[in-house]
Amino acid sequence: MTTTESHPPTGDFAGQPAPVVRTTAGAVRGRTEEGLAVYRGIPFAAPPVGEARFLAPRPAHAWDGVRDAYAFGPPPPQDLGNLGGPGLIDVPEGDEWLTVNVWTPEPGPGARRPVMVWLYGGAYKLGHSGSPGYDARRIAADGDVVVVSFNYRVGMEGFAFVEGAPANRGLLDQVAALEWVRDNIEAFGGDPGQVTVFGESAGAGSVASLLAMPRAAGLFRRAIAQSVPGTFFSDALARDIGAALAAEVGLRPTVADLAAIAPRELTAAGESLSGKMPQYIDRWGQAAPTVTPFSPVVDGEVLPTTPWQALAAGAAKDVDLLVGHNRDEYRLFVAMAGQLGQISEERATAALRLFAPGDEQAYRAAFPDASPSELYERVQTDWLFNMPSLHLAEAQRAGGGSAHLYELTWPAPGNGGALGACHGLDIPLLFGTYGADLGLLLFAGVEPSAEALSLSSRFRASWTSFARTGDPGWPAYDDERRLVQVLDAEPVVTAYPEERSRRLWEGYEFLPLPVL
């Protein structure tokens, strides 16, 4: 047992104290902010260090007294240079990475509001629930819902293959956080029977994984997956990449070897290998150009099959699904590499040969007027995000469940609109955080227009309506009409807009990526 002294909030967290809430590990006090009670940095599991390093999460240590829940917990080990943005200049330190945060309109067991649980993205190697772009106050207030966010292990700690450790430790952290929600959220004003998980990019891949994981069954009723990545590793690929990661620090991929290096120092292995991954294309194939050596592993135990296989077999038929993608997903990565409009014919051809589901000429025939840059973007947008998202909806239907589908086509205003409806644009629109994190690039520091504010409001209304009722405000997707909500300045419901891509990928299976 540990004892926590209670004292009034000070400094950045000054304000009226929120009601004390008792959790299974002890009592916590948050603070009142703009009509919401906000609780930050509550441990949902014990620090995964020392003897617990690389193991499945263990129950949080109990405490006596009232614990101040004013500040976000420290981020899991990663390259902290990627955790910028206003409001996160001083990153908290410590090993209590596994913490949850709660925004609630009304603490107390009588309210029983719908609960929305956010999973951040970041290529399975980055991310922190305390990032300013994930400030959930607008979602909680506008939708009258309880919002929970939490940290999970990323990179080496969460997803690298380590001999003697369970696979997918980051996913196991997510299950532990959802178990905390099940056991505690009623005291914060939430309904444990009305839980929706929602996430973007690697967070959406995590949502898809949870739908396929037997140990996550029953922990949530609905799921929202924004830009699902199609990258899932086979056990063989995970082992091969794990050996390469350990070799970066001169070690073997075992618990005994890697535990000898401090967690925040071990992140250097992932950073180093990320830059070298294109050199492994002959061995790691499609995984190599993604430059992230981390993804969920289809290990046969924690994750028995891919999400598409699991959903088609009916694993999540009782879970309502909302899934979608952005029209120009891959353009963000081209822009961040400083290569907008600069892709050569040779690079476009190489991308088509590596990623297209069939003959590269089929893509050229389907998009006859596309430039090399457009073909390069299109095939990687389709392979990495759009078709995995579409196929997840189709798999859910095939398994007897229901799915609603959307596409974001509104262009980001930054860079004169050159980024289009790129990857990550849905985050500042959903959270209303236009001046934080990726919003700084996508909105270029300009005050959002009335059009942007209207679309942002629609995002929150649709997402929270879905969390409350299972209906985001448009018809479910089916194989005949293929109706999709297109989110733009003038949102419309229409047949799936990317029909040419859909036909090219019809019948394609997103299988675990192999070692070649």
Side-chain angles (χ1 to χ4, degrees):
M1 300 279 283
T2 59
T3 301
T4 302
E5 295 294 331
S6 179
H7 53 80
T10 58
D12 290 341
F13 296 98
Q16 291 297 316
V20 171
V21 173
R22 181 160 294 280
T23 74
T24 50
V28 293
R29 176 185 286 112
R31 64 175 190 154
T32 300
E33 301 173 9
E34 300 179 18
L36 298 171
V38 184
Y39 302 79
R40 297 179 173 91
I42 307 169
F44 69 85
V49 296
E51 292 183 356
R53 184 91 178 272
F54 301 118
L55 298 183
R58 298 176 174 182
H61 303 308
W63 60 86
D64 293 323
V66 178
R67 181 184 178 113
D68 293 336
Y70 304 147
F72 292 111
Q78 57 195 277
D79 179 7
L80 295 181
N82 291 285
L83 287 176
L88 199 62
I89 297 170
D90 296 319
V91 176
E93 297 181 356
D95 55 19
E96 275 196 336
W97 318 322
L98 303 182
T99 58
V100 301
N101 320 294
V102 182
W103 289 257
T104 177
E106 182 186 0
R112 299 186 71 83
R113 285 174 167 82
V115 181
M116 299 183 69
V117 182
W118 171 251
L119 286 77
Y120 51 72
Y124 305 106
K125 63 180 181 179
L126 304 170
H128 174 219
S129 63
S131 293
Y134 304 145
D135 183 343
R137 72 183 69 182
R138 293 173 184 85
I139 298 174
D142 290 4
D144 195 31
V145 297
V146 176
V147 183
V148 177
S149 67
F150 62 88
N151 289 346
Y152 60 90
R153 282 173 283 181
V154 294
M156 294 292 291
E157 303 296 320
F159 288 95
F161 168 80
V162 181
E163 188 74 50
N168 300 305
R169 298 172 297 279
L171 299 180
L172 294 176
D173 292 345
Q174 295 168 13
V175 171
L178 288 169
E179 290 172 340
W180 183 94
V181 169
R182 177 196 63 199
D183 298 339
N184 292 282
I185 204 62
E186 188 172 358
F188 291 88
D191 182 351
Q194 283 270 82
V195 174
T196 298
V197 291
F198 68 125
E200 183 268 350
S201 195
S206 297
V207 168
S209 298
L210 291 167
L211 289 165
M213 290 171 60
R215 64 187 73 195
L219 292 175
F220 53 94
R221 183 173 178 180
R222 300 187 176 98
I224 304 175
Q226 304 167 211
S227 306
V228 180
T231 50
F232 282 73
F233 289 170
S234 65
D235 187 63
L237 180 61
R239 287 172 180 270
D240 208 55
I241 294 178
L245 284 163
E248 289 294 320
V249 287
L251 298 173
R252 299 169 300 164
T254 66
V255 169
D257 274 25
L258 297 179
I261 299 185
R264 298 200 185 278
E265 293 177 15
L266 191 56
T267 60
E271 291 299 309
S272 178
L273 185 62
S274 291
K276 301 175 184 176
M277 284 185 70
Q279 301 171 20
Y280 288 81
I281 196 164
D282 291 340
R283 185 168 181 82
W284 297 341
Q286 293 173 327
T290 66
V291 300
T292 175
F294 309 107
S295 276
V297 182
V298 180
D299 67 317
E301 183 180 348
V302 175
L303 187 59
T305 65
T306 68
W308 301 274
Q309 291 169 311
L311 267 60
K317 64 182 179 182
D318 296 326
V319 178
D320 299 327
L321 176 63
L322 170 58
V323 59
H325 54 70
N326 305 346
R327 181 185 57 203
D328 310 305
E329 295 271 8
Y330 202 76
R331 192 171 303 173
L332 175 70
F333 306 106
V334 178
M336 291 177 76
Q339 297 173 348
L340 274 181
Q342 299 177 25
I343 303 299
S344 66
E345 179 63 36
E346 290 75 18
R347 287 190 67 188
T349 297
L352 288 169
R353 289 176 178 170
L354 184 60
F355 297 113
D359 188 330
E360 69 171 279
Q361 296 306 322
Y363 249 89
R364 295 185 184 277
F367 300 93
D369 300 323
S371 67
S373 287
E374 289 167 340
L375 284 171
Y376 179 84
E377 285 181 22
R378 183 78 262 150
V379 71
Q380 293 190 83
T381 287
D382 287 345
W383 172 76
L384 189 53
F385 296 113
N386 287 15
M387 294 304 106
S389 300
L390 171 65
H391 284 209
L392 197 71
E394 293 178 340
Q396 176 72 337
R397 276 192 44 76
S402 170
H404 290 79
L405 192 64
Y406 75 88
E407 182 180 48
L408 174 62
T409 57
W410 185 79
N415 273 324
L419 293 170
C422 67
H423 189 64
L425 176 59
D426 44 316
I427 295 175
L429 287 172
L430 173 60
F431 284 86
T433 49
Y434 320 102
D437 301 347
L438 201 55
L440 287 168
L441 170 66
L442 301 181
F443 285 81
V446 178
E447 283 296 311
S449 64
E451 186 177 280
L453 293 173
S454 176
L455 182 56
S456 183
S457 179
R458 178 178 284 270
F459 254 100
R460 289 190 291 280
S462 296
W463 266 228
T464 55
S465 172
F466 179 79
R468 190 177 303 280
T469 67
D471 180 3
W474 66 87
Y477 185 81
D478 63 43
D479 299 330
E480 296 175 3
R481 298 182 297 168
R482 304 187 191 282
L483 294 181
V484 172
Q485 173 70 71
V486 175
L487 293 162
D488 210 317
E490 296 293 335
V492 296
V493 176
T494 186
Y496 184 62
E498 312 303 336
E499 179 65 10
R500 289 180 289 180
S501 294
R502 187 193 71 79
R503 287 184 176 275
L504 287 168
W505 291 82
E506 200 165 21
Y508 181 85
E509 285 190 86
F510 285 92
L511 299 174
L513 297 176
V515 176
L516 300 182

